[in-house]
Amino acid sequence: MKAKQSDFARGVPRLAHAAKILFFCGPDEAGASAAANAVVAALSDPGERVEIAGSDLRSDPAKLGDEARTTSLFGDSRHIFVRASGDEAHDAVKALIETGESGAGEHAPVLIVATSATDKSRTAKLLEKRGDGLVAMFYPPDLGTVTASVRAMADGAGLRLGGDVAERVARGAGLDVRLAGSEVAKLALYLDADPQSPKTANLADYEAVGAVSEEDGFGSVVNATMSGRVGLIANEVRRMKELGMNPVGLCLALERRAAQLATIQARLAGGGSFDRLSKGEKAQLGVFWKEEDAIRQQLRQWKPADLDRLIGRLVALHRALLKNSQAAQLLLAHDLAAIARFAAKRG
């Protein structure tokens, strides 16, 4: 089965409830991850979460079936969450399907978030025509889409948000639905809101709890890094520490920019020109007027193959930051400098 990104805008589509192997792909890793987590939250009994890296499945395809058909330590249910790059999980998914058809029995729900993969990848082809499989591709969202998602999340948390507040949350999260969800949760906690006792939130409430936004800080770091302005990195890292910017949030901002550049390049494939895009087309691609010059330069510096490798590196960095929060700033600073040096050579 195939689902559209829009199907997840207001919750979990019915197709997802019937699937046992779900493959979330596309250039918007944040949106794919948010959709996968929404599916888990909608499971009647999600049980224990078992996380597996795609690289582990590539080296040991049988591992997925072993984990999916094993009960937890106390006999409870479980679900399998895989973070992969491209078709790393293909052989493991194929083995899981084949062993099931050979009589190995039922398995726990398997959710795969695959960066650098599309709905035309080999793994997607395995699942798209199966009744127990689901494929969904996610593109970088526009402001309107994320604003609608913010309002939907707020409704579920017992928050009444006006369009101006929802849009501010969306912008403040850099159009990342995961960060936006975190901001909605903080706002609900701040106002002591829940579905049984809804509260109305205004801009003053959001400003009281809102994180440092990309507009306030992330944008200059992202542009210095992606444009290869090596001499600015030290100052940007210092400012990041002084402002208390979240390293994971900044890493996500870099992921979004890399995915955005890849999407624009795909749109221009065949001889198109960035400067010939209309304002509406640029808006659909998430290009705000103040970012046009930087994006134009970065499109010249980063080739599609380079962006593919960069996205994989940023996903790996994201995992490392989550696992080692104490050294997160040091890890991020190292990679910012390395990425900037790479871009500078192509400037």
Side-chain angles (χ1 to χ4, degrees):
M1 301 182 290
K2 271 194 172 184
K4 297 179 180 179
Q5 181 173 356
S6 57
D7 294 335
F8 286 89
R10 290 180 174 79
V12 177
R14 281 182 291 180
L15 287 175
H17 291 285
K20 294 298 293 289
I21 308 174
L22 301 96
F23 186 72
F24 301 92
C25 57
D28 182 22
E29 192 269 340
S33 293
N37 285 320
V39 171
V40 172
L43 293 174
S44 59
D45 183 18
E48 178 189 4
R49 182 187 186 106
V50 178
E51 296 201 13
I52 307 176
S55 57
D56 292 339
L57 296 183
R58 183 179 57 199
S59 59
D60 182 11
K63 183 180 180 68
L64 181 60
D66 292 342
E67 292 289 354
R69 293 192 175 95
T70 300
T71 57
S72 70
L73 181 63
F74 299 102
D76 299 324
S77 59
R78 51 167 45 187
H79 65 277
I80 314 299
F81 199 103
V82 179
R83 290 197 178 275
S85 178
D87 269 320
E88 284 182 329
H90 172 269
D91 292 350
V93 172
K94 184 179 180 181
L96 178 66
I97 292 172
E98 289 176 347
T99 53
E101 292 174 345
S102 299
E106 293 292 319
H107 61 78
V110 174
L111 302 99
I112 303 166
V113 175
T115 58
S116 304
T118 72
D119 56 359
K120 302 295 189 295
S121 66
R122 292 190 302 145
T123 312
K125 293 298 183 183
L126 280 177
L127 300 171
E128 64 181 6
K129 295 182 180 179
R130 295 184 60 86
D132 61 350
L134 181 77
V135 176
M137 186 161 172
F138 292 79
Y139 299 91
D142 56 30
L143 179 60
T145 300
V146 180
T147 299
S149 295
V150 168
R151 298 192 75 167
M153 290 186 287
D155 289 342
L159 280 175
R160 292 188 289 258
L161 296 186
D164 56 340
V165 182
E167 182 175 318
R168 180 69 178 274
V169 173
R171 285 186 181 276
L175 304 187
D176 186 298
V177 289
R178 288 177 298 189
L179 290 180
S182 176
E183 294 302 289
V184 168
K186 285 195 297 183
L187 193 53
L189 182 63
Y190 176 72
L191 293 174
D192 194 25
D194 61 56
Q196 286 71 45
S197 180
K199 301 290 193 307
T200 299
N202 56 35
L203 282 174
D205 296 322
Y206 173 61
E207 289 172 356
V209 301
V212 176
S213 73
E214 182 172 352
E215 291 185 0
D216 294 330
F218 289 172
S220 62
V221 189
V222 168
N223 284 327
T225 303
M226 297 296 291
S227 298
R229 302 170 72 182
V230 180
L232 297 180
I233 298 300
N235 286 334
E236 291 294 346
V237 169
R238 187 180 305 113
R239 190 172 63 85
M240 178 183 73
K241 294 178 181 178
E242 290 173 352
L243 293 177
M245 292 184 193
N246 185 335
V248 175
L250 180 49
C251 183
L252 286 170
L254 284 165
E255 289 181 49
R256 288 193 298 275
R257 175 56 59 83
Q260 181 185 31
L261 293 175
T263 302
I264 295 172
Q265 288 178 343
R267 174 74 70 87
L268 301 178
S273 169
F274 178 73
D275 290 323
R276 291 181 180 175
L277 294 175
S278 67
K279 289 184 178 180
E281 289 173 320
K282 289 178 180 177
Q284 289 178 344
L285 292 165
V287 180
F288 300 114
W289 65 268
K290 66 179 181 179
E291 297 283 356
E292 281 194 32
D293 289 342
I295 289 175
R296 183 181 294 106
Q297 176 184 345
Q298 291 159 19
L299 286 169
R300 292 195 299 265
Q301 291 173 280
W302 291 90
K303 304 303 181 186
D306 295 332
L307 286 173
D308 188 56
R309 289 192 294 270
L310 175 61
I311 291 171
R313 176 170 184 160
L314 290 172
V315 170
L317 173 62
H318 185 176
R319 294 171 185 161
L321 296 178
L322 292 173
K323 290 180 180 178
N324 194 350
S325 59
Q326 291 183 337
Q329 288 188 338
L330 180 61
L331 291 171
L332 180 60
H334 176 272
D335 272 34
L336 290 178
I339 294 167
R341 285 195 297 269
F342 181 91
K345 295 177 181 178
R346 287 152 175 77

